[in-house]
Amino acid sequence: MKQQVRITIDSTNGDQQLLQHAEGDLYLKNGHIYIRYEEIQEELGRTTTLLKFSDNQFRIIRQGETGSEQTFLPGEWTEGWYHTAQGRLDMRIRTHSLQMRLDENGLGDAKWNYDLYVAGDHAGRFKIKLSIKKMNDNQEG
């Protein structure tokens, strides 16, 4: 079963904050929750983003003009990558916390914070809040 959802992503890195809104499709498969949506950014082009929620981990997979893969697992180091027309950069992620409050339909919210290292250099400590709602709920945003 697929349902349309509205997602809000609130990302903080130091004193920089970015708020994003998107609409996408949520579906449940093999005990996992998936959300697929399109991102269009002037500097990055068109990207399809897939969010995958498992029992104790969360993955972000982006495909398109740029691509990346990140896995968040609380208390663990994980490997990832970021790919642009200029080439590929390896990433390491140290997830400090991950809290997912999603109902049986995949709706709810998730919060996590992590340190990101790109090509061996510390790129920042990020705090993310993700909200997932049905399209017909809270249309005002």
Side-chain angles (χ1 to χ4, degrees):
M1 179 183 102
K2 184 165 69 168
Q3 64 178 319
Q4 289 191 309
V5 293
R6 176 180 303 255
I7 63 172
T8 302
I9 304 165
D10 184 353
S11 173
T12 304
N13 177 17
D15 60 356
Q16 297 179 335
Q17 183 176 16
L18 177 63
L19 191 61
Q20 296 175 278
H21 300 279
E23 296 175 357
D25 295 319
L26 180 149
Y27 55 98
L28 308 174
K29 183 177 179 183
N30 297 328
H32 304 293
I33 299 166
Y34 296 89
I35 299 173
R36 182 183 307 272
Y37 64 94
E38 294 286 323
E39 287 183 273
I40 301 172
Q41 298 179 17
E42 279 186 41
E43 66 277 7
L44 301 176
R46 181 181 297 271
T47 303
T48 299
T49 300
L50 178 68
L51 309 178
K52 179 184 178 185
F53 299 89
S54 301
D55 287 337
N56 66 339
Q57 78 174 14
F58 171 61
R59 293 181 76 194
I60 302 172
I61 302 164
R62 291 184 173 95
Q63 296 176 321
E65 295 179 42
T66 62
S68 68
E69 186 171 310
Q70 294 174 284
T71 301
F72 303 96
L73 186 59
E76 301 289 335
W77 284 95
T78 55
E79 304 292 325
W81 52 267
Y82 181 78
H83 185 80
T84 68
Q86 290 76 34
R88 177 182 159 128
L89 295 171
D90 290 327
M91 296 189 295
R92 292 196 77 211
I93 298 151
R94 171 71 171 166
T95 306
H96 300 288
S97 69
L98 172 62
Q99 300 169 337
M100 295 184 283
R101 293 188 310 241
L102 305 174
D103 68 16
E104 66 277 0
N105 298 313
L107 304 174
D109 58 63
K111 293 193 278 189
W112 66 102
N113 70 68
Y114 63 98
D115 279 294
L116 175 65
Y117 294 82
V118 178
D121 293 328
H122 188 251
R125 182 168 198 158
F126 294 83
K127 294 181 181 178
I128 313 291
K129 295 177 190 172
L130 170 69
S131 172
I132 307 160
K133 297 181 178 170
K134 285 196 295 188
M135 282 292 290
N136 58 357
D137 288 350
N138 191 15
Q139 285 291 331
E140 299 302 314

